[in-house]
Amino acid sequence: MSASSTDRMSSTERRAGISLAAVFALRMLGLFLILPVFALYASDLPSGKDMALVGVALGAYGLTQACLQIAYGAASDHFGRKPVIVFGLLLFVVGSFVAAFADDIYVVIAGRVLQGAGAISAAVTALAADLTREQHLTKVMAMIGSSIGLVFALSMVGAPLLYAVIGMPGIFSLTGGLALLAIFVVLRVVPAAPMMPRQPAWPSFVEVLSHRQLLRLNFGVFALHLMLTAMWVLLPSELVRTGGLPVAEHWKVYLPALLVSFVIMVPAIIAAERFARMKLIFNGAIVLLLCVQAGFGLFAGGLYGLAFWLMLFFVSFNILEATQPSLISRIAPPHAKGAALGVYNTTQALGLFLGGVLGGVLAKYAGPGAVWAGGALLTLVWLMLGLTMVMPAVRKRPAAA
């Protein structure tokens, strides 16, 4: 058999990658749709003007995600991948409808906690590893990562329009419906898992937690998602207050910012991979993120200022969000990839939780400037770690037979 034929993904691998990316996308779309509009909705709820509580509501699902990711991964080893994924999605559905029918901010927080208890990311990535040969695992992870980036873009544009039509309860109900659709995909479209899934051993987790390069990436995804959630505590209200833009028209800011960011991101990723400039592009995106935090804090008054810095945020976010999972899969020891992905997903969820909580607390007690200053400090630490990071060797294309 030729090298080119063995290097191709099989039909089962392609089906697994596409269908598992769809499961991720359906679940993440529901979560992302909440970010651009929730702070505005919460202001009409009892106690909803308390920025600390708004931040807790935004980040609450990240806490249960962080606590349960590794447990779900372990449970999927024992009970099977699909049953655990379906159970997690059902919890997500229940949490979505609890939040949809909430009449105060505390019930919304309870619903968000239940949403986060459906912590399926580790189980889904483990199933992807079960169904994919080692040489194609990065491709499948790229499919999943790309689907998340796509639904993030769709949610930034669609959320303000949906909010104007169906309101926040309707968006929460929609998230529950999307999770039900994801269950159908898991049961009817995703290929059957092998009888004996790969068994991650405890020493693998110890190895991952002591791996200096992986620790840098874990800190990075933690910091990136902390800043993402903290930003949405402030930005929607600022677009209304200083930008003079009604919530139904926020898409006019989000759509151009996202389109420009993708135009910049794609050649940057190509240059990083093709011309061995990963470290330069990676750290350049961190520097840009540092400038964004300073820009929001010092120069972001008015509609055009907010739109400009948001566009630059999306550029840095998309580059870093696309490169880090690939680096994780390439740097992690082959026998510990599942453990590495579990820890990575856990630190990502922890960042989402703390971003909401710290963003809300800092905004309430120290003002919005403290949120951006805290983000800048975190980014500076990340930059120092990134500058000392050792990138994996460039992958060589296999020679034709």
Side-chain angles (χ1 to χ4, degrees):
M1 189 178 291
S2 68
S4 60
S5 63
T6 57
D7 189 58
R8 295 194 190 101
M9 293 181 72
S10 68
S11 59
T12 298
E13 287 171 326
R14 285 193 297 271
R15 180 180 163 198
I18 293 169
S19 57
L20 289 173
V23 171
F24 256 103
L26 289 168
R27 178 172 170 272
M28 296 307 294
L29 178 60
L31 291 173
F32 287 147
L33 282 170
I34 294 162
L35 293 177
V37 292
F38 180 77
L40 298 170
Y41 164 73
S43 64
D44 294 326
L45 292 174
S47 302
K49 288 184 169 58
D50 187 324
M51 294 300 290
L53 289 176
V54 171
V56 170
L58 274 175
Y61 82 95
L63 177 61
T64 40
Q65 284 263 309
C67 293
L68 295 175
Q69 284 287 3
I70 294 175
Y72 268 65
S76 74
D77 292 334
H78 184 73
F79 298 106
R81 310 295 191 209
K82 286 191 175 185
V84 170
I85 293 169
V86 170
F87 176 77
L89 287 170
L90 286 172
L91 278 181
F92 185 87
V93 170
V94 172
S96 298
F97 285 107
V98 167
F101 292 101
D103 56 4
D104 64 49
I105 191 84
Y106 296 101
V107 179
V108 173
I109 291 171
R112 296 283 283 165
V113 167
L114 278 172
Q115 282 185 319
I120 63 169
S121 298
V124 172
T125 50
L127 179 55
D130 292 339
L131 295 170
T132 309
R133 286 170 293 168
E134 190 70 30
Q135 64 266 36
H136 297 304
L137 185 57
T138 298
K139 297 176 187 175
V140 171
M141 294 305 166
M143 288 182 188
I144 293 172
S146 298
S147 73
I148 294 172
L150 178 61
V151 299
F152 179 76
L154 289 174
S155 65
M156 293 302 102
V157 175
L161 299 173
L162 284 171
Y163 183 74
V165 176
I166 62 177
M168 198 71 233
I171 291 178
F172 275 125
S173 297
L174 178 62
T175 66
L178 291 171
L180 289 172
L181 181 57
I183 291 174
F184 173 83
V185 173
V186 171
L187 294 176
R188 304 302 297 270
V189 182
V190 176
M195 293 299 292
M196 294 296 292
R198 299 169 188 170
Q199 301 287 324
W202 175 249
S204 296
F205 285 101
V206 175
E207 183 177 1
V208 165
L209 291 172
S210 61
H211 194 296
R212 292 184 177 182
Q213 305 308 315
L214 293 177
L215 286 174
R216 286 170 167 80
L217 291 168
N218 290 329
F219 179 86
V221 76
F222 166 80
L224 184 63
H225 286 80
L226 186 151
M227 285 179 274
L228 173 71
T229 315
M231 181 179 74
W232 293 114
V233 174
L234 301 173
L235 187 62
S237 299
E238 287 298 299
L239 283 172
V240 173
R241 186 177 66 85
T242 68
L245 196 65
V247 63
E249 298 182 23
H250 284 192
W251 67 271
K252 295 179 180 178
V253 171
Y254 300 149
L255 180 58
L258 282 163
L259 291 176
V260 172
S261 73
F262 279 118
V263 168
I264 298 172
M265 178 199 72
V266 172
I269 296 297
I270 292 173
E273 289 282 357
R274 185 170 296 175
F275 303 110
R277 294 292 185 267
M278 179 63 77
K279 188 168 185 176
L280 176 64
I281 298 297
F282 185 81
N283 287 310
I286 299 175
V287 170
L288 180 58
L289 187 61
L290 178 61
C291 295
V292 167
Q293 299 301 305
F296 269 126
L298 300 174
F299 310 112
L303 179 60
Y304 293 106
L306 291 168
F308 175 74
W309 293 112
L310 180 63
M311 181 269 293
L312 293 182
F313 174 84
F314 283 150
V315 171
S316 59
F317 179 86
N318 287 332
I319 291 173
L320 294 164
E321 186 78 349
T323 54
Q324 288 197 111
S326 175
L327 289 171
I328 284 280
S329 65
R330 290 161 61 186
I331 290 174
H335 60 277
K337 285 187 186 295
L341 289 165
V343 173
Y344 180 83
N345 287 322
T346 298
T347 53
Q348 180 188 64
L350 187 59
L352 289 167
F353 165 66
L354 288 177
V357 173
L358 294 177
V361 169
L362 287 173
K364 178 180 179 179
Y365 293 106
V371 177
W372 307 120
L377 180 61
L378 197 63
T379 310
L380 192 58
V381 174
W382 186 8
L383 179 60
M384 289 188 288
L385 293 174
L387 291 172
T388 58
M389 187 171 175
V390 178
M391 293 292 171
V394 178
R395 292 172 292 191
K396 297 181 179 179
R397 295 173 182 243

